[in-house]
PDB file of all heavy atoms in Angstrom:
ATOM      1  N   ALA A  27     222.310  87.415  99.484  1.00 98.00           N
ATOM      2  CA  ALA A  27     223.403  88.362  99.727  1.00 98.00           C
ATOM      3  C   ALA A  27     223.765  88.373 101.208  1.00 98.00           C
ATOM      4  O   ALA A  27     222.878  88.379 102.069  1.00 98.00           O
ATOM      5  CB  ALA A  27     222.995  89.765  99.272  1.00 98.00           C
ATOM      6  N   GLY A  28     225.043  88.369 101.477  1.00 98.00           N
ATOM      7  CA  GLY A  28     225.528  88.439 102.859  1.00 98.00           C
ATOM      8  C   GLY A  28     225.990  89.853 103.170  1.00 98.00           C
ATOM      9  O   GLY A  28     226.785  90.428 102.418  1.00 98.00           O
ATOM     10  N   ASN A  29     225.459  90.411 104.245  1.00 98.00           N
ATOM     11  CA  ASN A  29     225.848  91.742 104.708  1.00 98.00           C
ATOM     12  C   ASN A  29     226.723  91.567 105.938  1.00 98.00           C
ATOM     13  O   ASN A  29     226.228  91.236 107.009  1.00 98.00           O
ATOM     14  CB  ASN A  29     224.575  92.544 105.044  1.00 98.00           C
ATOM     15  CG  ASN A  29     224.879  93.903 105.638  1.00 98.00           C
ATOM     16  OD1 ASN A  29     226.031  94.332 105.672  1.00 98.00           O
ATOM     17  ND2 ASN A  29     223.847  94.586 106.114  1.00 98.00           N
ATOM     18  N   TRP A  30     228.012  91.771 105.757  1.00 98.00           N
ATOM     19  CA  TRP A  30     228.942  91.546 106.873  1.00 98.00           C
ATOM     20  C   TRP A  30     228.890  92.686 107.895  1.00 98.00           C
ATOM     21  O   TRP A  30     229.507  92.596 108.934  1.00 98.00           O
ATOM     22  CB  TRP A  30     230.368  91.353 106.337  1.00 98.00           C
ATOM     23  CG  TRP A  30     230.615  89.950 105.826  1.00 98.00           C
ATOM     24  CD1 TRP A  30     229.666  89.007 105.516  1.00 98.00           C
ATOM     25  CD2 TRP A  30     231.885  89.331 105.592  1.00 98.00           C
ATOM     26  NE1 TRP A  30     230.267  87.853 105.107  1.00 98.00           N
ATOM     27  CE2 TRP A  30     231.630  88.012 105.141  1.00 98.00           C
ATOM     28  CE3 TRP A  30     233.208  89.755 105.712  1.00 98.00           C
ATOM     29  CZ2 TRP A  30     232.658  87.121 104.815  1.00 98.00           C
ATOM     30  CZ3 TRP A  30     234.232  88.870 105.385  1.00 98.00           C
ATOM     31  CH2 TRP A  30     233.965  87.566 104.943  1.00 98.00           C
ATOM     32  N   LYS A  31     228.205  93.770 107.573  1.00 98.00           N
ATOM     33  CA  LYS A  31     228.139  94.934 108.469  1.00 98.00           C
ATOM     34  C   LYS A  31     229.564  95.314 108.912  1.00 98.00           C
ATOM     35  O   LYS A  31     230.484  95.214 108.109  1.00 98.00           O
ATOM     36  CB  LYS A  31     227.200  94.638 109.636  1.00 98.00           C
ATOM     37  CG  LYS A  31     225.825  94.152 109.140  1.00 98.00           C
ATOM     38  CD  LYS A  31     224.781  94.089 110.203  1.00 98.00           C
ATOM     39  CE  LYS A  31     223.461  93.596 109.595  1.00 98.00           C
ATOM     40  NZ  LYS A  31     222.368  93.570 110.554  1.00 98.00           N
ATOM     41  N   ILE A 110     224.317  97.773  98.999  1.00 98.00           N
ATOM     42  CA  ILE A 110     223.158  97.810  99.887  1.00 98.00           C
ATOM     43  C   ILE A 110     222.874  99.271 100.220  1.00 98.00           C
ATOM     44  O   ILE A 110     223.792 100.013 100.571  1.00 98.00           O
ATOM     45  CB  ILE A 110     223.456  97.033 101.196  1.00 98.00           C
ATOM     46  CG1 ILE A 110     223.744  95.562 100.904  1.00 98.00           C
ATOM     47  CG2 ILE A 110     222.299  97.180 102.184  1.00 98.00           C
ATOM     48  CD1 ILE A 110     224.316  94.807 102.107  1.00 98.00           C
ATOM     49  N   HIS A 113     219.609 100.573 104.478  1.00 98.00           N
ATOM     50  CA  HIS A 113     219.505  99.623 105.599  1.00 98.00           C
ATOM     51  C   HIS A 113     218.977 100.350 106.833  1.00 98.00           C
ATOM     52  O   HIS A 113     219.293 101.530 107.044  1.00 98.00           O
ATOM     53  CB  HIS A 113     220.883  99.012 105.877  1.00 98.00           C
ATOM     54  CG  HIS A 113     220.804  97.803 106.749  1.00 98.00           C
ATOM     55  ND1 HIS A 113     220.613  97.893 108.105  1.00 98.00           N
ATOM     56  CD2 HIS A 113     220.841  96.485 106.463  1.00 98.00           C
ATOM     57  CE1 HIS A 113     220.561  96.676 108.618  1.00 98.00           C
ATOM     58  NE2 HIS A 113     220.694  95.798 107.645  1.00 98.00           N
ATOM     59  N   SER A 114     218.220  99.657 107.665  1.00 98.00           N
ATOM     60  CA  SER A 114     217.635 100.325 108.838  1.00 98.00           C
ATOM     61  C   SER A 114     218.714 100.848 109.778  1.00 98.00           C
ATOM     62  O   SER A 114     218.487 101.809 110.511  1.00 98.00           O
ATOM     63  CB  SER A 114     216.688  99.381 109.580  1.00 98.00           C
ATOM     64  OG  SER A 114     217.397  98.294 110.113  1.00 98.00           O
ATOM     65  N   GLU A 115     219.903 100.205 109.744  1.00 97.00           N
ATOM     66  CA  GLU A 115     220.985 100.707 110.595  1.00 97.00           C
ATOM     67  C   GLU A 115     221.523 102.036 110.062  1.00 97.00           C
ATOM     68  O   GLU A 115     222.142 102.800 110.812  1.00 97.00           O
ATOM     69  CB  GLU A 115     222.089  99.635 110.707  1.00 97.00           C
ATOM     70  CG  GLU A 115     221.622  98.465 111.562  1.00 97.00           C
ATOM     71  CD  GLU A 115     222.259  97.126 111.251  1.00 97.00           C
ATOM     72  OE1 GLU A 115     223.297  97.081 110.574  1.00 97.00           O
ATOM     73  OE2 GLU A 115     221.690  96.112 111.691  1.00 97.00           O
ATOM     74  N   CYS A 144     216.822  98.526 101.017  1.00 98.00           N
ATOM     75  CA  CYS A 144     216.192  97.925 102.200  1.00 98.00           C
ATOM     76  C   CYS A 144     215.031  98.776 102.714  1.00 98.00           C
ATOM     77  O   CYS A 144     215.102 100.009 102.724  1.00 98.00           O
ATOM     78  CB  CYS A 144     217.208  97.788 103.325  1.00 98.00           C
ATOM     79  SG  CYS A 144     218.671  96.853 102.868  1.00 98.00           S
ATOM     80  N   ALA A 181     214.922  94.656  99.609  1.00 98.00           N
ATOM     81  CA  ALA A 181     215.034  93.734 100.740  1.00 98.00           C
ATOM     82  C   ALA A 181     214.074  94.174 101.840  1.00 98.00           C
ATOM     83  O   ALA A 181     214.179  95.310 102.332  1.00 98.00           O
ATOM     84  CB  ALA A 181     216.469  93.709 101.267  1.00 98.00           C
ATOM     85  N   GLU A 183     213.288  93.979 105.440  1.00 98.00           N
ATOM     86  CA  GLU A 183     213.952  93.636 106.694  1.00 98.00           C
ATOM     87  C   GLU A 183     213.207  94.285 107.854  1.00 98.00           C
ATOM     88  O   GLU A 183     213.457  95.470 108.160  1.00 98.00           O
ATOM     89  CB  GLU A 183     215.404  94.131 106.681  1.00 98.00           C
ATOM     90  CG  GLU A 183     216.258  93.534 105.588  1.00 98.00           C
ATOM     91  CD  GLU A 183     217.735  93.543 105.957  1.00 98.00           C
ATOM     92  OE1 GLU A 183     218.269  94.606 106.307  1.00 98.00           O
ATOM     93  OE2 GLU A 183     218.332  92.471 105.913  1.00 98.00           O
ATOM     94  N   PRO A 184     212.293  93.548 108.487  1.00 98.00           N
ATOM     95  CA  PRO A 184     211.627  94.122 109.656  1.00 98.00           C
ATOM     96  C   PRO A 184     212.681  94.476 110.705  1.00 98.00           C
ATOM     97  O   PRO A 184     213.513  93.632 111.053  1.00 98.00           O
ATOM     98  CB  PRO A 184     210.721  92.991 110.156  1.00 98.00           C
ATOM     99  CG  PRO A 184     210.816  91.875 109.177  1.00 98.00           C
ATOM    100  CD  PRO A 184     211.968  92.140 108.264  1.00 98.00           C
ATOM    101  N   VAL A 185     212.670  95.699 111.180  1.00 98.00           N
ATOM    102  CA  VAL A 185     213.737  96.167 112.071  1.00 98.00           C
ATOM    103  C   VAL A 185     213.833  95.275 113.309  1.00 98.00           C
ATOM    104  O   VAL A 185     214.927  94.949 113.775  1.00 98.00           O
ATOM    105  CB  VAL A 185     213.482  97.641 112.475  1.00 98.00           C
ATOM    106  CG1 VAL A 185     214.541  98.127 113.443  1.00 98.00           C
ATOM    107  CG2 VAL A 185     213.455  98.535 111.231  1.00 98.00           C
ATOM    108  N   ALA A 187     213.360  92.193 113.585  1.00 97.00           N
ATOM    109  CA  ALA A 187     213.844  90.838 113.295  1.00 97.00           C
ATOM    110  C   ALA A 187     215.353  90.818 113.051  1.00 97.00           C
ATOM    111  O   ALA A 187     215.937  89.748 112.919  1.00 97.00           O
ATOM    112  CB  ALA A 187     213.117  90.269 112.086  1.00 97.00           C
ATOM    113  N   ILE A 188     215.975  91.994 112.981  1.00 97.00           N
ATOM    114  CA  ILE A 188     217.400  92.060 112.639  1.00 97.00           C
ATOM    115  C   ILE A 188     218.247  91.775 113.872  1.00 97.00           C
ATOM    116  O   ILE A 188     218.168  92.488 114.870  1.00 97.00           O
ATOM    117  CB  ILE A 188     217.755  93.443 112.045  1.00 97.00           C
ATOM    118  CG1 ILE A 188     217.035  93.637 110.705  1.00 97.00           C
ATOM    119  CG2 ILE A 188     219.262  93.598 111.889  1.00 97.00           C
ATOM    120  CD1 ILE A 188     217.212  95.011 110.093  1.00 97.00           C
ATOM    121  N   GLY A 189     219.004  90.687 113.798  1.00 95.00           N
ATOM    122  CA  GLY A 189     219.935  90.347 114.871  1.00 95.00           C
ATOM    123  C   GLY A 189     219.279  89.920 116.164  1.00 95.00           C
ATOM    124  O   GLY A 189     219.943  89.833 117.198  1.00 95.00           O
ATOM    125  N   THR A 190     217.987  89.632 116.137  1.00 96.00           N
ATOM    126  CA  THR A 190     217.256  89.305 117.368  1.00 96.00           C
ATOM    127  C   THR A 190     216.908  87.831 117.482  1.00 96.00           C
ATOM    128  O   THR A 190     216.500  87.381 118.547  1.00 96.00           O
ATOM    129  CB  THR A 190     215.926  90.080 117.417  1.00 96.00           C
ATOM    130  OG1 THR A 190     215.145  89.709 116.259  1.00 96.00           O
ATOM    131  CG2 THR A 190     216.153  91.585 117.418  1.00 96.00           C
ATOM    132  N   GLY A 191     217.008  87.087 116.375  1.00 95.00           N
ATOM    133  CA  GLY A 191     216.542  85.699 116.376  1.00 95.00           C
ATOM    134  C   GLY A 191     215.039  85.601 116.162  1.00 95.00           C
ATOM    135  O   GLY A 191     214.503  84.507 116.027  1.00 95.00           O
ATOM    136  N   LEU A 192     214.349  86.738 116.144  1.00 95.00           N
ATOM    137  CA  LEU A 192     212.907  86.744 115.893  1.00 95.00           C
ATOM    138  C   LEU A 192     212.662  86.839 114.386  1.00 95.00           C
ATOM    139  O   LEU A 192     213.418  87.514 113.684  1.00 95.00           O
ATOM    140  CB  LEU A 192     212.246  87.952 116.563  1.00 95.00           C
ATOM    141  CG  LEU A 192     212.428  88.089 118.067  1.00 95.00           C
ATOM    142  CD1 LEU A 192     211.865  89.435 118.539  1.00 95.00           C
ATOM    143  CD2 LEU A 192     211.731  86.928 118.785  1.00 95.00           C
ATOM    144  N   THR A 193     211.615  86.196 113.911  1.00 96.00           N
ATOM    145  CA  THR A 193     211.216  86.376 112.504  1.00 96.00           C
ATOM    146  C   THR A 193     209.701  86.510 112.444  1.00 96.00           C
ATOM    147  O   THR A 193     208.994  85.971 113.304  1.00 96.00           O
ATOM    148  CB  THR A 193     211.637  85.182 111.610  1.00 96.00           C
ATOM    149  OG1 THR A 193     211.152  83.972 112.200  1.00 96.00           O
ATOM    150  CG2 THR A 193     213.134  85.106 111.439  1.00 96.00           C
ATOM    151  N   TYR A 225     214.079  88.686 101.623  1.00 98.00           N
ATOM    152  CA  TYR A 225     213.720  88.819 103.030  1.00 98.00           C
ATOM    153  C   TYR A 225     215.016  88.878 103.837  1.00 98.00           C
ATOM    154  O   TYR A 225     215.965  88.122 103.549  1.00 98.00           O
ATOM    155  CB  TYR A 225     212.853  87.632 103.528  1.00 98.00           C
ATOM    156  CG  TYR A 225     212.747  87.699 105.032  1.00 98.00           C
ATOM    157  CD1 TYR A 225     211.862  88.589 105.629  1.00 98.00           C
ATOM    158  CD2 TYR A 225     213.638  86.989 105.845  1.00 98.00           C
ATOM    159  CE1 TYR A 225     211.844  88.751 107.005  1.00 98.00           C
ATOM    160  CE2 TYR A 225     213.625  87.146 107.220  1.00 98.00           C
ATOM    161  CZ  TYR A 225     212.728  88.035 107.799  1.00 98.00           C
ATOM    162  OH  TYR A 225     212.729  88.208 109.158  1.00 98.00           O
ATOM    163  N   GLY A 226     215.054  89.721 104.860  1.00 98.00           N
ATOM    164  CA  GLY A 226     216.211  89.779 105.751  1.00 98.00           C
ATOM    165  C   GLY A 226     215.775  89.959 107.186  1.00 98.00           C
ATOM    166  O   GLY A 226     214.780  90.641 107.472  1.00 98.00           O
ATOM    167  N   GLY A 227     216.521  89.356 108.093  1.00 98.00           N
ATOM    168  CA  GLY A 227     216.210  89.450 109.528  1.00 98.00           C
ATOM    169  C   GLY A 227     216.241  88.076 110.156  1.00 98.00           C
ATOM    170  O   GLY A 227     215.291  87.309 110.024  1.00 98.00           O
ATOM    171  N   SER A 228     217.394  87.733 110.784  1.00 98.00           N
ATOM    172  CA  SER A 228     217.547  86.459 111.497  1.00 98.00           C
ATOM    173  C   SER A 228     217.358  85.242 110.599  1.00 98.00           C
ATOM    174  O   SER A 228     216.846  84.208 111.051  1.00 98.00           O
ATOM    175  CB  SER A 228     216.605  86.404 112.707  1.00 98.00           C
ATOM    176  OG  SER A 228     216.950  87.403 113.653  1.00 98.00           O
ATOM    177  N   VAL A 229     217.775  85.360 109.327  1.00 98.00           N
ATOM    178  CA  VAL A 229     217.772  84.171 108.466  1.00 98.00           C
ATOM    179  C   VAL A 229     218.959  83.297 108.854  1.00 98.00           C
ATOM    180  O   VAL A 229     220.081  83.793 109.020  1.00 98.00           O
ATOM    181  CB  VAL A 229     217.870  84.554 106.973  1.00 98.00           C
ATOM    182  CG1 VAL A 229     217.902  83.302 106.097  1.00 98.00           C
ATOM    183  CG2 VAL A 229     216.705  85.457 106.577  1.00 98.00           C
ATOM    184  N   LYS A 230     218.709  82.015 109.016  1.00 98.00           N
ATOM    185  CA  LYS A 230     219.757  81.060 109.367  1.00 98.00           C
ATOM    186  C   LYS A 230     219.450  79.734 108.682  1.00 98.00           C
ATOM    187  O   LYS A 230     218.347  79.575 108.129  1.00 98.00           O
ATOM    188  CB  LYS A 230     219.865  80.905 110.884  1.00 98.00           C
ATOM    189  CG  LYS A 230     218.555  80.725 111.592  1.00 98.00           C
ATOM    190  CD  LYS A 230     218.712  80.857 113.093  1.00 98.00           C
ATOM    191  CE  LYS A 230     217.346  80.622 113.741  1.00 98.00           C
ATOM    192  NZ  LYS A 230     216.922  81.641 114.630  1.00 98.00           N
ATOM    193  N   ALA A 246     217.429  86.235  99.980  1.00 98.00           N
ATOM    194  CA  ALA A 246     217.614  86.666 101.366  1.00 98.00           C
ATOM    195  C   ALA A 246     218.778  87.635 101.477  1.00 98.00           C
ATOM    196  O   ALA A 246     219.745  87.560 100.708  1.00 98.00           O
ATOM    197  CB  ALA A 246     217.862  85.452 102.264  1.00 98.00           C
ATOM    198  N   LEU A 247     218.647  88.560 102.431  1.00 98.00           N
ATOM    199  CA  LEU A 247     219.756  89.418 102.829  1.00 98.00           C
ATOM    200  C   LEU A 247     220.132  88.968 104.242  1.00 98.00           C
ATOM    201  O   LEU A 247     219.320  89.084 105.165  1.00 98.00           O
ATOM    202  CB  LEU A 247     219.349  90.894 102.793  1.00 98.00           C
ATOM    203  CG  LEU A 247     220.442  91.912 103.100  1.00 98.00           C
ATOM    204  CD1 LEU A 247     221.670  91.736 102.204  1.00 98.00           C
ATOM    205  CD2 LEU A 247     219.910  93.334 102.944  1.00 98.00           C
ATOM    206  N   VAL A 248     221.329  88.425 104.366  1.00 98.00           N
ATOM    207  CA  VAL A 248     221.724  87.701 105.565  1.00 98.00           C
ATOM    208  C   VAL A 248     222.809  88.469 106.306  1.00 98.00           C
ATOM    209  O   VAL A 248     223.816  88.845 105.701  1.00 98.00           O
ATOM    210  CB  VAL A 248     222.254  86.295 105.186  1.00 98.00           C
ATOM    211  CG1 VAL A 248     222.585  85.497 106.434  1.00 98.00           C
ATOM    212  CG2 VAL A 248     221.261  85.553 104.303  1.00 98.00           C
ATOM    213  N   GLY A 249     222.608  88.703 107.599  1.00 98.00           N
ATOM    214  CA  GLY A 249     223.613  89.381 108.404  1.00 98.00           C
ATOM    215  C   GLY A 249     224.535  88.374 109.067  1.00 98.00           C
ATOM    216  O   GLY A 249     225.436  87.813 108.444  1.00 98.00           O
ATOM    217  N   GLY A 250     224.295  88.127 110.352  1.00 98.00           N
ATOM    218  CA  GLY A 250     225.191  87.302 111.165  1.00 98.00           C
ATOM    219  C   GLY A 250     225.562  85.969 110.538  1.00 98.00           C
ATOM    220  O   GLY A 250     226.728  85.551 110.595  1.00 98.00           O
ATOM    221  N   ALA A 251     224.585  85.302 109.927  1.00 98.00           N
ATOM    222  CA  ALA A 251     224.848  83.965 109.384  1.00 98.00           C
ATOM    223  C   ALA A 251     225.663  83.998 108.096  1.00 98.00           C
ATOM    224  O   ALA A 251     226.015  82.942 107.568  1.00 98.00           O
ATOM    225  CB  ALA A 251     223.534  83.220 109.156  1.00 98.00           C
ATOM    226  N   SER A 252     225.979  85.196 107.590  1.00 98.00           N
ATOM    227  CA  SER A 252     226.819  85.247 106.376  1.00 98.00           C
ATOM    228  C   SER A 252     228.301  85.290 106.723  1.00 98.00           C
ATOM    229  O   SER A 252     229.161  85.249 105.834  1.00 98.00           O
ATOM    230  CB  SER A 252     226.458  86.458 105.514  1.00 98.00           C
ATOM    231  OG  SER A 252     226.840  87.668 106.138  1.00 98.00           O
ATOM    232  N   LEU A 253     228.604  85.376 108.019  1.00 98.00           N
ATOM    233  CA  LEU A 253     230.010  85.492 108.426  1.00 98.00           C
ATOM    234  C   LEU A 253     230.705  84.143 108.488  1.00 98.00           C
ATOM    235  O   LEU A 253     231.937  84.084 108.540  1.00 98.00           O
ATOM    236  CB  LEU A 253     230.092  86.171 109.805  1.00 98.00           C
ATOM    237  CG  LEU A 253     229.607  87.623 109.841  1.00 98.00           C
ATOM    238  CD1 LEU A 253     229.432  88.092 111.281  1.00 98.00           C
ATOM    239  CD2 LEU A 253     230.578  88.528 109.097  1.00 98.00           C
ATOM    240  N   ILE A 261     222.220  78.252 104.025  1.00 97.00           N
ATOM    241  CA  ILE A 261     221.098  79.084 103.570  1.00 97.00           C
ATOM    242  C   ILE A 261     220.962  78.997 102.046  1.00 97.00           C
ATOM    243  O   ILE A 261     219.873  78.804 101.521  1.00 97.00           O
ATOM    244  CB  ILE A 261     221.301  80.544 104.048  1.00 97.00           C
ATOM    245  CG1 ILE A 261     221.186  80.595 105.578  1.00 97.00           C
ATOM    246  CG2 ILE A 261     220.304  81.479 103.379  1.00 97.00           C
ATOM    247  CD1 ILE A 261     221.653  81.897 106.193  1.00 97.00           C
TER     248      ILE A 261
HETATM  249  P1  LIG B 323     220.760  89.340 110.743  1.00 68.20           P
HETATM  250  O1  LIG B 323     220.700  88.249 109.691  1.00 68.20           O
HETATM  251  O2  LIG B 323     221.999  89.291 111.572  1.00 68.20           O
HETATM  252  O3  LIG B 323     219.486  89.398 111.540  1.00 68.20           O
HETATM  253  O4  LIG B 323     220.860  90.736 109.953  1.00 68.20           O
HETATM  254  C1  LIG B 323     219.974  90.987 108.912  1.00 68.20           C
HETATM  255  C2  LIG B 323     220.405  92.215 108.220  1.00 68.20           C
HETATM  256  O5  LIG B 323     220.300  93.314 108.740  1.00 68.20           O
HETATM  257  C3  LIG B 323     220.993  92.062 106.877  1.00 68.20           C
HETATM  258  O6  LIG B 323     221.133  93.282 106.234  1.00 68.20           O
END
Side-chain angles (χ1 to χ4, degrees):
N29 175 8
W30 279 16
K31 307 191 180 183
I110 298 168
H113 195 283
S114 65
E115 289 152 16
C144 304
E183 299 205 307
V185 178
I188 295 175
T190 59
L192 302 173
T193 53
Y225 169 79
S228 296
V229 179
K230 47 191 182 233
L247 184 54
V248 184
S252 69
L253 295 167
I261 293 168

